[in-house]
Amino acid sequence: DQQVKQNSPSLSVQEGRISILNCDYTNSMFDYFLWYKKYPAEGPTFLISISSIKDKNEDGRFTVFLNKSAKHLSLHIVPSQPGDSAVYFCAATVWIQGAQKLVFGQGTRLTINP
Amino acid sequence: EAQVTQNPRYLITVTGKKLTVTCSQNMNHEYMSWYRQDPGLGLRQIYYSMNVEVTDKGDVPEGYKVSRKEKRNFPLILESPSPNQTSLYFCASSPAQGPKTQYFGPGTRLLVL
């Protein structure tokens, strides 16, 4: 039962254009959403997050949008740069029996073409 | 440099031969966790620890053990590895009492024959 889903395994975008990565979730109890970026042979690194009480959070070229009614999350990267080529994981936190759990999506491989 | 380290980075072993993957963090974090990454499944939590001597099961704990005798170390033990434990493993730590602001190690790629 995949509670956080990234339905696009891969995405290819031209340098300078906008990259939009999408994520859907099923659990309405998720209280925080995060995006992680992962390069080959490295661990994931935190990129940006958003609380469930907000609908937008921006950090430089990265903006995360949250649509709670649709249970949908998206990450916008503008403008896209070659260094943005990586696997992006969407994740969400939920409290279960007094402990906070982090649930990941399957990941989307983003390739930025020069 | 603040970091999470894992050893070994790559390991090939045979079914049933006990192994330990070490994890150490130098940030004085209380929360530590182990994940495995498999194609099409993302990262799934194996075990986590909210403090010394406090550990709990994640989503896929079967076939794994952990211990937290010291704050900085959180080893992952496979008592009798099987081929379905072939995976990419990540250790992570967090300054908070939860996984929201985790720092990940570089990963350990394990192949069980």
Side-chain angles (χ1 to χ4, degrees):
Chain A
D1 177 26
Q2 195 80 26
Q3 296 187 66
V4 178
K5 292 182 181 179
Q6 294 175 256
N7 292 315
S8 298
S10 63
L11 177 67
S12 187
V13 175
Q14 196 168 358
E15 182 179 358
R17 305 294 288 268
I18 183 171
S19 295
I20 301 176
L21 295 98
N22 294 304
C23 179
D24 297 302
Y25 63 95
T26 56
N27 191 339
S28 59
M29 299 304 292
F30 287 141
D31 59 353
Y32 227 88
F33 300 88
L34 307 91
W35 285 93
Y36 283 85
K37 177 179 181 178
K38 184 184 176 307
Y39 291 120
E42 295 183 12
T45 55
F46 170 75
L47 187 59
I48 192 170
S49 65
I50 186 169
S51 166
S52 60
I53 62 172
K54 296 190 174 183
D55 54 18
K56 178 182 175 182
N57 187 28
E58 193 171 352
D59 183 3
R61 296 186 298 113
F62 303 91
T63 303
V64 57
F65 294 93
L66 176 61
N67 183 333
K68 285 188 71 176
S69 61
K71 292 191 173 69
H72 180 79
L73 185 72
S74 63
L75 174 67
H76 292 211
I77 307 173
V78 181
S80 300
Q81 299 174 354
D84 296 330
S85 295
V87 176
Y88 289 79
F89 290 99
C90 170
T93 61
V94 61
W95 286 91
I96 300 176
Q97 296 179 332
Q100 191 179 44
K101 303 292 291 291
L102 185 61
V103 182
F104 283 87
Q106 307 95 312
T108 295
R109 182 178 301 277
L110 175 65
T111 302
I112 306 301
N113 301 308
Chain B
E1 179 189 354
Q3 60 183 350
V4 179
T5 57
Q6 296 178 227
N7 282 293
R9 293 290 311 276
Y10 303 92
L11 180 60
I12 301 174
T13 189
V14 295
T15 298
K17 186 177 181 181
K18 181 179 178 180
L19 66 93
T20 299
V21 183
T22 64
C23 172
S24 183
Q25 50 94 3
N26 62 1
M27 297 170 278
N28 202 36
H29 288 169
E30 292 186 350
Y31 185 96
M32 296 187 75
S33 184
W34 275 102
Y35 294 86
R36 59 180 288 175
Q37 182 191 348
D38 301 291
L41 296 175
L43 281 83
R44 294 178 294 167
Q45 190 179 52
I46 302 170
Y47 268 95
Y48 65 96
S49 168
M50 296 182 74
N51 213 326
V52 175
E53 302 292 2
V54 180
T55 63
D56 211 343
K57 296 177 181 178
D59 299 315
V60 287
E62 296 78 19
Y64 305 95
K65 284 176 58 177
V66 292
S67 68
R68 188 90 182 274
K69 294 185 172 63
E70 310 164 274
K71 199 171 189 179
R72 63 183 295 129
N73 296 322
F74 191 44
L76 179 70
I77 303 155
L78 284 72
E79 295 268 4
S80 183
S82 61
N84 65 13
Q85 292 178 297
T86 292
S87 187
L88 179 57
Y89 292 88
F90 291 102
C91 180
S93 72
S94 170
Q97 274 298 314
K100 200 166 72 181
T101 51
Q102 286 184 117
Y103 295 80
F104 283 83
T108 295
R109 189 168 289 282
L110 172 65
L111 173 61
V112 183
L113 300 173

